[in-house]
Amino acid sequence: MTTPTDSHLTRIAAPEGVSPGTGYSHVVWGTGRFVAVSGQCALDERGEVVGAGDPAAQARQVFENLRRCLAAAGATFDDVVKLTYFVTDVAHLPAVREARDAVIPADRLPASSAVQVAALFRPELLLEVEAFAVVPEAR
């Protein structure tokens, strides 16, 4: 099913013959300016870890950092076409989804991938999320 959600992005939750995903779109495309946001971790503006040992607190900080990075490029979560989650334990994914759902409506879910990794660059970090967005040229 194709779901145009605004003038520059189209999302397909489940292409014909593909099992529907839970909490993501299989395909997203758009027209406009491409924005890539590096993987964001639960670091505050001073580079200190927020929520050591707490995946929910870390996920909230990660999505706040993503929001700030997107804003710097003139983008919002509405423009996100792809998220990639790197987690040290897949058991952290419900906390990540909860933080994502607080900023991205269910009808605007981006394409997504989730990967469990052995470690991130600091041992107290539990997750990292990168984003790709397409911003309409009019902005």
Side-chain angles (χ1 to χ4, degrees):
M1 178 170 107
T2 302
T3 306
T5 54
D6 54 41
S7 62
H8 76 291
L9 296 180
T10 300
R11 293 171 174 84
I12 302 176
E16 185 177 337
V18 176
S19 175
T22 302
Y24 62 93
S25 298
H26 277 286
V27 180
V28 181
W29 75 83
T31 57
R33 183 171 40 88
F34 179 76
V35 175
V37 178
S38 292
Q40 297 297 303
C41 293
L43 301 175
D44 65 16
E45 60 275 1
R46 296 176 310 281
E48 296 178 17
V49 174
V50 172
D54 181 348
Q58 288 199 17
R60 287 189 299 272
Q61 182 65 43
V62 164
F63 277 91
E64 176 58 19
N65 290 349
L66 286 169
R67 184 196 65 73
R68 291 174 179 171
C69 291
L70 289 165
T76 71
F77 283 111
D78 286 346
D79 303 309
V80 172
V81 296
K82 175 76 164 71
L83 292 171
T84 305
Y85 308 105
F86 302 94
V87 294
T88 58
D89 186 333
V90 292
H92 302 325
L93 286 174
V96 174
R97 288 186 191 114
E98 185 176 328
R100 182 213 52 206
D101 291 349
V103 296
I104 301 176
D107 66 339
R108 294 182 180 261
L109 293 175
S112 299
S113 300
V115 181
Q116 182 170 315
V117 297
L120 295 168
F121 71 98
R122 288 176 61 172
E124 62 271 42
L125 293 170
L126 304 175
L127 60 117
E128 181 173 335
V129 181
E130 69 180 11
F132 298 139
V134 176
V135 181
E137 291 294 340
R139 271 196 229 151

